[in-house]
Amino acid sequence: MATDSVKHVPTLGGTTISTERKSFFSAVKRTKTIITFVYASFITFVAFTVYVTFTPSLINFAHSVSSYILPNVTAVVTSPSNFTTNTTSRATFGSPAANETNPLSRNKASRSRTEHASVHLRPNNNTVRNISDKQAPLSVNSSASPMRKQSRKSWTNKREMKSLKKCEFFEGEWVKDDSYPLYKPGTCTLIDEQFDCMTNGRPDVEFYKLKWKPKECTLPRLDGGKLLEMLKGRRLVFVGDSLNRNMWESLVCILKGSVKDERHVFEAHGRHHFRWEAEYSFVFKEYNCTVEFFASPFLVRESEVSDKNGTKKKTLRLDMMGKSSKQYKGADVLVFNTGSWWTHDKTSKGEDYYQEGSNVYPKLDADEAFRKALTTWGRWVDKYVNPKKSLVLFRGYSPVHFSGGQWNAGGACDDETEPIKNETYLTPYPSKMEILERVLRGMKTPVTYLNITRLTDYRKDAHPSVYRKQKFTAEESKSPLLYQDCSHWCLPGVPDSWNEILYAEILVKLDQLRGNRRRKT
């Protein structure tokens, strides 16, 4: 076929268009094509810009610091009505090496924290408990709202972080701060009756406004939103006695008040009271994380044996971990405690109670039993917890302030409205915490010791005392002052400060890990 340069096109009159005219129209046609292409490209660019601007999932284009430092994979959450357990694998953040090597004397309740050891991270291939139902899974890295726009900024500025790294968190004083407490008294419906002092009628409010101030730094105010970002797709688990439940409820209240929609925060089993069950788990659906509590007051297993007559008696297996240990061994952050129950009559006397293997000791010193129990705990941690994937902490002993008797013998603290001002009135550092420190030094797995004993001992003013419940039994009504709680803490209150220290420790560990990553690249 002839080319366009020699081809003639018939007109209506039968004549033809010359080659020159054909070339002219061909040029015009090419020009129109170019203009059309440019116009289409411009329309496409405008449409894409509008899409990027108003699409929430694309606003989350930059990773958050926690996602950068703590990479993870998809986790799934559910409503409490369809709670089941499943398995998945997810990456977690590294644990620090041990901070110190020298033991404390009885007079010194805190350790030096001038050097925080390095932390590491590898993908977590451990099988851990997960949450699932028929709903579509929520991606850990998805953004539910433009309000949670993420960036690679540090959680604190460099000056603050440098101060925290050098700071001894546990030496300082309680100072008044009118911006406290972290949540308004009476507003958190999750607080157990025994900790809800304002609802139970406590009239004074000044004890709510005290915060812990270390000598060398200022603790960052606990930002629940930031902490939830760090915990995306992870499990933070408290294991221990009712004092750790006190701390767990405090943190749940702080975090719950930080979410946009509190309807997306619920107890996984649909529970609304948190005192009598062996385990509780609060789901923060928007962040795909859980904050859990496992009741294990001794950490080791409570058991029973039968004597020659077939009569069963309770024992404490010093050589076995509590039954719930299988459920929390895959957690990303573990906060342990034990102590208070070791002061009760049965444990302190140690007669026909402590057991190892099939042997029940006729009598065993309580401190020696405590050492054996913690050694069992330490071996379990060394065996089942990978310090490159999980962070382990142990919260120290929380002092009691019974005056005129013990908890079951008329001890009281209802007239206390101010903290201890004179250090000479503080109790000596507990021998069991010295035992704890020796066990920690012998472990392969680094454990961060939250040594809150001394700072807590100042707060004789912050117990529930007679404001532990609203309705007394008939017997309690006869002598209400004989039934006081001077071991647990009002909420809001002292456990909020424990959690602010926990928050500061996590910030330090994250910054260490981020620094390690920079050095490797």
Side-chain angles (χ1 to χ4, degrees), residues 272-303:
H272 299 282
H273 302 283
F274 312 108
R275 187 171 183 178
W276 307 113
E277 300 295 334
E279 63 172 292
Y280 301 99
S281 175
F282 262 93
V283 177
F284 291 81
K285 188 172 183 178
E286 187 179 1
Y287 296 86
N288 306 327
C289 70
T290 58
V291 181
E292 307 169 38
F293 171 73
F294 288 87
S296 185
F298 299 103
L299 298 181
V300 292
R301 185 169 303 184
E302 296 177 81
S303 185

mmCIF file of all heavy atoms in Angstrom, residues 272-303:
data_model
loop_
_atom_site.group_PDB
_atom_site.id
_atom_site.type_symbol
_atom_site.label_atom_id
_atom_site.label_comp_id
_atom_site.label_asym_id
_atom_site.label_seq_id
_atom_site.Cartn_x
_atom_site.Cartn_y
_atom_site.Cartn_z
ATOM 1 N N HIS A 272 -16.361 -7.898 84.477
ATOM 2 C CA HIS A 272 -16.453 -6.514 84.944
ATOM 3 C C HIS A 272 -15.949 -6.343 86.373
ATOM 4 O O HIS A 272 -15.891 -5.230 86.880
ATOM 5 C CB HIS A 272 -17.904 -6.029 84.845
ATOM 6 C CG HIS A 272 -18.439 -6.046 83.445
ATOM 7 N ND1 HIS A 272 -18.139 -5.074 82.518
ATOM 8 C CD2 HIS A 272 -19.237 -6.937 82.796
ATOM 9 C CE1 HIS A 272 -18.733 -5.344 81.363
ATOM 10 N NE2 HIS A 272 -19.412 -6.470 81.506
ATOM 11 N N HIS A 273 -15.592 -7.431 87.020
ATOM 12 C CA HIS A 273 -15.007 -7.401 88.355
ATOM 13 C C HIS A 273 -13.702 -8.188 88.301
ATOM 14 O O HIS A 273 -13.627 -9.243 87.669
ATOM 15 C CB HIS A 273 -15.972 -7.989 89.386
ATOM 16 C CG HIS A 273 -17.288 -7.279 89.438
ATOM 17 N ND1 HIS A 273 -17.455 -6.058 90.063
ATOM 18 C CD2 HIS A 273 -18.505 -7.605 88.926
ATOM 19 C CE1 HIS A 273 -18.710 -5.669 89.944
ATOM 20 N NE2 HIS A 273 -19.378 -6.585 89.245
ATOM 21 N N PHE A 274 -12.688 -7.682 88.992
ATOM 22 C CA PHE A 274 -11.335 -8.176 88.727
ATOM 23 C C PHE A 274 -10.594 -8.615 89.991
ATOM 24 O O PHE A 274 -9.403 -8.337 90.155
ATOM 25 C CB PHE A 274 -10.546 -7.100 87.980
ATOM 26 C CG PHE A 274 -11.303 -6.517 86.826
ATOM 27 C CD1 PHE A 274 -11.814 -5.234 86.879
ATOM 28 C CD2 PHE A 274 -11.552 -7.283 85.704
ATOM 29 C CE1 PHE A 274 -12.540 -4.713 85.822
ATOM 30 C CE2 PHE A 274 -12.281 -6.777 84.643
ATOM 31 C CZ PHE A 274 -12.774 -5.487 84.695
ATOM 32 N N ARG A 275 -11.298 -9.339 90.828
ATOM 33 C CA ARG A 275 -10.669 -9.722 92.088
ATOM 34 C C ARG A 275 -10.532 -11.227 92.282
ATOM 35 O O ARG A 275 -9.575 -11.673 92.898
ATOM 36 C CB ARG A 275 -11.462 -9.120 93.247
ATOM 37 C CG ARG A 275 -10.794 -9.306 94.600
ATOM 38 C CD ARG A 275 -11.493 -8.519 95.684
ATOM 39 N NE ARG A 275 -10.822 -8.632 96.968
ATOM 40 C CZ ARG A 275 -11.200 -8.008 98.075
ATOM 41 N NH1 ARG A 275 -12.264 -7.202 98.030
ATOM 42 N NH2 ARG A 275 -10.543 -8.160 99.201
ATOM 43 N N TRP A 276 -11.459 -12.010 91.755
ATOM 44 C CA TRP A 276 -11.536 -13.405 92.160
ATOM 45 C C TRP A 276 -11.051 -14.398 91.115
ATOM 46 O O TRP A 276 -10.842 -15.564 91.441
ATOM 47 C CB TRP A 276 -12.978 -13.751 92.562
ATOM 48 C CG TRP A 276 -13.528 -12.808 93.586
ATOM 49 C CD1 TRP A 276 -14.537 -11.905 93.434
ATOM 50 C CD2 TRP A 276 -13.080 -12.649 94.941
ATOM 51 N NE1 TRP A 276 -14.761 -11.202 94.588
ATOM 52 C CE2 TRP A 276 -13.880 -11.633 95.539
ATOM 53 C CE3 TRP A 276 -12.088 -13.264 95.716
ATOM 54 C CZ2 TRP A 276 -13.707 -11.223 96.856
ATOM 55 C CZ3 TRP A 276 -11.915 -12.857 97.024
ATOM 56 C CH2 TRP A 276 -12.714 -11.856 97.585
ATOM 57 N N GLU A 277 -10.898 -13.984 89.877
ATOM 58 C CA GLU A 277 -10.474 -14.925 88.846
ATOM 59 C C GLU A 277 -8.950 -15.014 88.781
ATOM 60 O O GLU A 277 -8.233 -14.143 89.251
ATOM 61 C CB GLU A 277 -11.022 -14.503 87.478
ATOM 62 C CG GLU A 277 -12.548 -14.439 87.421
ATOM 63 C CD GLU A 277 -13.202 -15.790 87.598
ATOM 64 O OE1 GLU A 277 -12.558 -16.807 87.275
ATOM 65 O OE2 GLU A 277 -14.356 -15.832 88.063
ATOM 66 N N ALA A 278 -8.471 -16.109 88.170
ATOM 67 C CA ALA A 278 -7.030 -16.345 88.095
ATOM 68 C C ALA A 278 -6.354 -15.530 87.009
ATOM 69 O O ALA A 278 -5.138 -15.334 87.042
ATOM 70 C CB ALA A 278 -6.758 -17.832 87.870
ATOM 71 N N GLU A 279 -7.122 -15.032 86.050
ATOM 72 C CA GLU A 279 -6.518 -14.255 84.966
ATOM 73 C C GLU A 279 -7.518 -13.264 84.385
ATOM 74 O O GLU A 279 -8.733 -13.505 84.383
ATOM 75 C CB GLU A 279 -6.024 -15.181 83.854
ATOM 76 C CG GLU A 279 -7.131 -15.978 83.188
ATOM 77 C CD GLU A 279 -6.651 -16.728 81.961
ATOM 78 O OE1 GLU A 279 -6.319 -16.067 80.956
ATOM 79 O OE2 GLU A 279 -6.618 -17.959 82.027
ATOM 80 N N TYR A 280 -6.989 -12.164 83.903
ATOM 81 C CA TYR A 280 -7.792 -11.139 83.231
ATOM 82 C C TYR A 280 -6.975 -10.592 82.067
ATOM 83 O O TYR A 280 -5.743 -10.535 82.134
ATOM 84 C CB TYR A 280 -8.148 -9.997 84.178
ATOM 85 C CG TYR A 280 -8.919 -10.430 85.409
ATOM 86 C CD1 TYR A 280 -8.266 -10.626 86.620
ATOM 87 C CD2 TYR A 280 -10.292 -10.642 85.358
ATOM 88 C CE1 TYR A 280 -8.959 -11.027 87.757
ATOM 89 C CE2 TYR A 280 -11.003 -11.040 86.487
ATOM 90 C CZ TYR A 280 -10.327 -11.230 87.683
ATOM 91 O OH TYR A 280 -11.021 -11.635 88.790
ATOM 92 N N SER A 281 -7.671 -10.182 81.026
ATOM 93 C CA SER A 281 -6.971 -9.638 79.863
ATOM 94 C C SER A 281 -7.798 -8.519 79.250
ATOM 95 O O SER A 281 -8.915 -8.757 78.786
ATOM 96 C CB SER A 281 -6.739 -10.736 78.821
ATOM 97 O OG SER A 281 -6.154 -10.202 77.641
ATOM 98 N N PHE A 282 -7.248 -7.295 79.259
ATOM 99 C CA PHE A 282 -7.923 -6.184 78.610
ATOM 100 C C PHE A 282 -7.404 -6.024 77.192
ATOM 101 O O PHE A 282 -6.197 -5.941 76.954
ATOM 102 C CB PHE A 282 -7.749 -4.889 79.397
ATOM 103 C CG PHE A 282 -8.927 -4.594 80.273
ATOM 104 C CD1 PHE A 282 -8.948 -5.010 81.585
ATOM 105 C CD2 PHE A 282 -10.046 -3.953 79.769
ATOM 106 C CE1 PHE A 282 -10.040 -4.773 82.390
ATOM 107 C CE2 PHE A 282 -11.162 -3.718 80.557
ATOM 108 C CZ PHE A 282 -11.160 -4.127 81.881
ATOM 109 N N VAL A 283 -8.344 -5.994 76.265
ATOM 110 C CA VAL A 283 -8.032 -5.854 74.850
ATOM 111 C C VAL A 283 -8.198 -4.394 74.442
ATOM 112 O O VAL A 283 -9.223 -3.778 74.724
ATOM 113 C CB VAL A 283 -8.967 -6.732 73.997
ATOM 114 C CG1 VAL A 283 -8.691 -6.530 72.503
ATOM 115 C CG2 VAL A 283 -8.823 -8.200 74.378
ATOM 116 N N PHE A 284 -7.170 -3.851 73.793
ATOM 117 C CA PHE A 284 -7.240 -2.521 73.199
ATOM 118 C C PHE A 284 -7.298 -2.746 71.687
ATOM 119 O O PHE A 284 -6.288 -2.862 71.005
ATOM 120 C CB PHE A 284 -6.031 -1.684 73.620
ATOM 121 C CG PHE A 284 -6.046 -1.316 75.078
ATOM 122 C CD1 PHE A 284 -5.617 -2.227 76.037
ATOM 123 C CD2 PHE A 284 -6.519 -0.082 75.499
ATOM 124 C CE1 PHE A 284 -5.650 -1.911 77.390
ATOM 125 C CE2 PHE A 284 -6.552 0.253 76.842
ATOM 126 C CZ PHE A 284 -6.124 -0.667 77.789
ATOM 127 N N LYS A 285 -8.538 -2.843 71.202
ATOM 128 C CA LYS A 285 -8.778 -3.326 69.845
ATOM 129 C C LYS A 285 -8.123 -2.454 68.783
ATOM 130 O O LYS A 285 -7.586 -2.951 67.795
ATOM 131 C CB LYS A 285 -10.286 -3.419 69.600
ATOM 132 C CG LYS A 285 -10.656 -4.083 68.285
ATOM 133 C CD LYS A 285 -12.149 -4.326 68.199
ATOM 134 C CE LYS A 285 -12.511 -5.051 66.917
ATOM 135 N NZ LYS A 285 -13.970 -5.333 66.845
ATOM 136 N N GLU A 286 -8.151 -1.162 68.990
ATOM 137 C CA GLU A 286 -7.595 -0.243 67.997
ATOM 138 C C GLU A 286 -6.092 -0.450 67.815
ATOM 139 O O GLU A 286 -5.545 -0.186 66.748
ATOM 140 C CB GLU A 286 -7.882 1.199 68.424
ATOM 141 C CG GLU A 286 -7.498 2.254 67.402
ATOM 142 C CD GLU A 286 -7.820 3.657 67.876
ATOM 143 O OE1 GLU A 286 -8.326 3.812 69.015
ATOM 144 O OE2 GLU A 286 -7.563 4.593 67.110
ATOM 145 N N TYR A 287 -5.435 -0.939 68.860
ATOM 146 C CA TYR A 287 -3.988 -1.128 68.828
ATOM 147 C C TYR A 287 -3.600 -2.606 68.763
ATOM 148 O O TYR A 287 -2.412 -2.930 68.754
ATOM 149 C CB TYR A 287 -3.343 -0.489 70.063
ATOM 150 C CG TYR A 287 -3.517 1.008 70.112
ATOM 151 C CD1 TYR A 287 -4.667 1.572 70.669
ATOM 152 C CD2 TYR A 287 -2.558 1.867 69.575
ATOM 153 C CE1 TYR A 287 -4.841 2.949 70.712
ATOM 154 C CE2 TYR A 287 -2.725 3.237 69.603
ATOM 155 C CZ TYR A 287 -3.867 3.775 70.180
ATOM 156 O OH TYR A 287 -4.040 5.135 70.208
ATOM 157 N N ASN A 288 -4.586 -3.495 68.749
ATOM 158 C CA ASN A 288 -4.323 -4.932 68.661
ATOM 159 C C ASN A 288 -3.390 -5.426 69.760
ATOM 160 O O ASN A 288 -2.517 -6.259 69.523
ATOM 161 C CB ASN A 288 -3.729 -5.291 67.298
ATOM 162 C CG ASN A 288 -4.578 -4.811 66.150
ATOM 163 O OD1 ASN A 288 -5.801 -4.759 66.259
ATOM 164 N ND2 ASN A 288 -3.945 -4.432 65.065
ATOM 165 N N CYS A 289 -3.530 -4.887 70.961
ATOM 166 C CA CYS A 289 -2.672 -5.306 72.064
ATOM 167 C C CYS A 289 -3.518 -5.678 73.271
ATOM 168 O O CYS A 289 -4.703 -5.327 73.358
ATOM 169 C CB CYS A 289 -1.663 -4.213 72.437
ATOM 170 S SG CYS A 289 -2.388 -2.766 73.235
ATOM 171 N N THR A 290 -2.902 -6.395 74.196
ATOM 172 C CA THR A 290 -3.573 -6.771 75.432
ATOM 173 C C THR A 290 -2.710 -6.390 76.622
ATOM 174 O O THR A 290 -1.477 -6.420 76.554
ATOM 175 C CB THR A 290 -3.868 -8.278 75.492
ATOM 176 O OG1 THR A 290 -2.631 -9.014 75.353
ATOM 177 C CG2 THR A 290 -4.833 -8.697 74.399
ATOM 178 N N VAL A 291 -3.362 -6.032 77.730
ATOM 179 C CA VAL A 291 -2.700 -5.774 79.009
ATOM 180 C C VAL A 291 -3.338 -6.743 80.001
ATOM 181 O O VAL A 291 -4.525 -6.629 80.307
ATOM 182 C CB VAL A 291 -2.861 -4.311 79.461
ATOM 183 C CG1 VAL A 291 -2.143 -4.075 80.787
ATOM 184 C CG2 VAL A 291 -2.322 -3.364 78.390
ATOM 185 N N GLU A 292 -2.564 -7.691 80.491
ATOM 186 C CA GLU A 292 -3.114 -8.842 81.188
ATOM 187 C C GLU A 292 -2.590 -8.955 82.620
ATOM 188 O O GLU A 292 -1.549 -8.394 82.958
ATOM 189 C CB GLU A 292 -2.763 -10.125 80.417
ATOM 190 C CG GLU A 292 -3.155 -10.077 78.941
ATOM 191 C CD GLU A 292 -2.574 -11.219 78.135
ATOM 192 O OE1 GLU A 292 -2.502 -12.353 78.656
ATOM 193 O OE2 GLU A 292 -2.168 -10.986 76.973
ATOM 194 N N PHE A 293 -3.335 -9.717 83.421
ATOM 195 C CA PHE A 293 -2.908 -10.024 84.786
ATOM 196 C C PHE A 293 -3.157 -11.490 85.082
ATOM 197 O O PHE A 293 -4.242 -12.009 84.794
ATOM 198 C CB PHE A 293 -3.649 -9.164 85.811
ATOM 199 C CG PHE A 293 -3.404 -9.604 87.241
ATOM 200 C CD1 PHE A 293 -2.171 -9.353 87.846
ATOM 201 C CD2 PHE A 293 -4.379 -10.276 87.956
ATOM 202 C CE1 PHE A 293 -1.938 -9.780 89.155
ATOM 203 C CE2 PHE A 293 -4.151 -10.699 89.256
ATOM 204 C CZ PHE A 293 -2.925 -10.442 89.861
ATOM 205 N N PHE A 294 -2.148 -12.154 85.627
ATOM 206 C CA PHE A 294 -2.266 -13.535 86.083
ATOM 207 C C PHE A 294 -1.994 -13.581 87.580
ATOM 208 O O PHE A 294 -0.924 -13.146 88.030
ATOM 209 C CB PHE A 294 -1.280 -14.441 85.342
ATOM 210 C CG PHE A 294 -1.644 -14.689 83.903
ATOM 211 C CD1 PHE A 294 -1.230 -13.817 82.913
ATOM 212 C CD2 PHE A 294 -2.405 -15.790 83.539
ATOM 213 C CE1 PHE A 294 -1.561 -14.022 81.586
ATOM 214 C CE2 PHE A 294 -2.750 -16.008 82.216
ATOM 215 C CZ PHE A 294 -2.335 -15.124 81.229
ATOM 216 N N ALA A 295 -2.968 -14.078 88.325
ATOM 217 C CA ALA A 295 -2.823 -14.185 89.774
ATOM 218 C C ALA A 295 -1.897 -15.360 90.105
ATOM 219 O O ALA A 295 -2.218 -16.515 89.813
ATOM 220 C CB ALA A 295 -4.185 -14.381 90.433
ATOM 221 N N SER A 296 -0.760 -15.053 90.702
ATOM 222 C CA SER A 296 0.211 -16.070 91.109
ATOM 223 C C SER A 296 1.018 -15.484 92.256
ATOM 224 O O SER A 296 2.162 -15.054 92.084
ATOM 225 C CB SER A 296 1.120 -16.445 89.926
ATOM 226 O OG SER A 296 1.989 -17.504 90.266
ATOM 227 N N PRO A 297 0.433 -15.443 93.464
ATOM 228 C CA PRO A 297 1.027 -14.686 94.569
ATOM 229 C C PRO A 297 2.409 -15.150 95.011
ATOM 230 O O PRO A 297 3.174 -14.367 95.557
ATOM 231 C CB PRO A 297 0.007 -14.859 95.700
ATOM 232 C CG PRO A 297 -0.802 -16.051 95.331
ATOM 233 C CD PRO A 297 -0.841 -16.075 93.846
ATOM 234 N N PHE A 298 2.743 -16.429 94.743
ATOM 235 C CA PHE A 298 4.073 -16.923 95.104
ATOM 236 C C PHE A 298 4.961 -17.130 93.879
ATOM 237 O O PHE A 298 6.127 -17.475 94.017
ATOM 238 C CB PHE A 298 3.952 -18.262 95.856
ATOM 239 C CG PHE A 298 3.173 -18.183 97.148
ATOM 240 C CD1 PHE A 298 1.872 -18.647 97.216
ATOM 241 C CD2 PHE A 298 3.745 -17.638 98.287
ATOM 242 C CE1 PHE A 298 1.148 -18.580 98.408
ATOM 243 C CE2 PHE A 298 3.037 -17.568 99.480
ATOM 244 C CZ PHE A 298 1.740 -18.036 99.538
ATOM 245 N N LEU A 299 4.404 -16.996 92.693
ATOM 246 C CA LEU A 299 5.040 -17.313 91.416
ATOM 247 C C LEU A 299 5.196 -18.816 91.225
ATOM 248 O O LEU A 299 5.034 -19.331 90.127
ATOM 249 C CB LEU A 299 6.388 -16.607 91.231
ATOM 250 C CG LEU A 299 6.339 -15.077 91.208
ATOM 251 C CD1 LEU A 299 7.731 -14.491 90.986
ATOM 252 C CD2 LEU A 299 5.385 -14.551 90.146
ATOM 253 N N VAL A 300 5.521 -19.543 92.300
ATOM 254 C CA VAL A 300 5.585 -20.997 92.231
ATOM 255 C C VAL A 300 4.209 -21.580 92.544
ATOM 256 O O VAL A 300 3.280 -20.864 92.912
ATOM 257 C CB VAL A 300 6.662 -21.565 93.180
ATOM 258 C CG1 VAL A 300 8.052 -21.185 92.690
ATOM 259 C CG2 VAL A 300 6.442 -21.082 94.609
ATOM 260 N N ARG A 301 4.078 -22.900 92.430
ATOM 261 C CA ARG A 301 2.767 -23.545 92.411
ATOM 262 C C ARG A 301 2.222 -23.875 93.801
ATOM 263 O O ARG A 301 2.901 -24.482 94.627
ATOM 264 C CB ARG A 301 2.841 -24.827 91.579
ATOM 265 C CG ARG A 301 1.505 -25.529 91.389
ATOM 266 C CD ARG A 301 1.599 -26.628 90.358
ATOM 267 N NE ARG A 301 2.066 -26.123 89.074
ATOM 268 C CZ ARG A 301 2.160 -26.866 87.970
ATOM 269 N NH1 ARG A 301 1.809 -28.139 88.006
ATOM 270 N NH2 ARG A 301 2.599 -26.322 86.846
ATOM 271 N N GLU A 302 0.985 -23.497 94.024
ATOM 272 C CA GLU A 302 0.248 -23.927 95.205
ATOM 273 C C GLU A 302 -0.322 -25.316 94.933
ATOM 274 O O GLU A 302 -0.917 -25.559 93.892
ATOM 275 C CB GLU A 302 -0.870 -22.937 95.528
ATOM 276 C CG GLU A 302 -0.337 -21.560 95.906
ATOM 277 C CD GLU A 302 -1.448 -20.559 96.167
ATOM 278 O OE1 GLU A 302 -2.012 -20.582 97.280
ATOM 279 O OE2 GLU A 302 -1.750 -19.773 95.260
ATOM 280 N N SER A 303 -0.138 -26.229 95.881
ATOM 281 C CA SER A 303 -0.507 -27.615 95.658
ATOM 282 C C SER A 303 -1.126 -28.201 96.925
ATOM 283 O O SER A 303 -1.447 -27.467 97.879
ATOM 284 C CB SER A 303 0.739 -28.419 95.236
ATOM 285 O OG SER A 303 0.407 -29.740 94.891
#
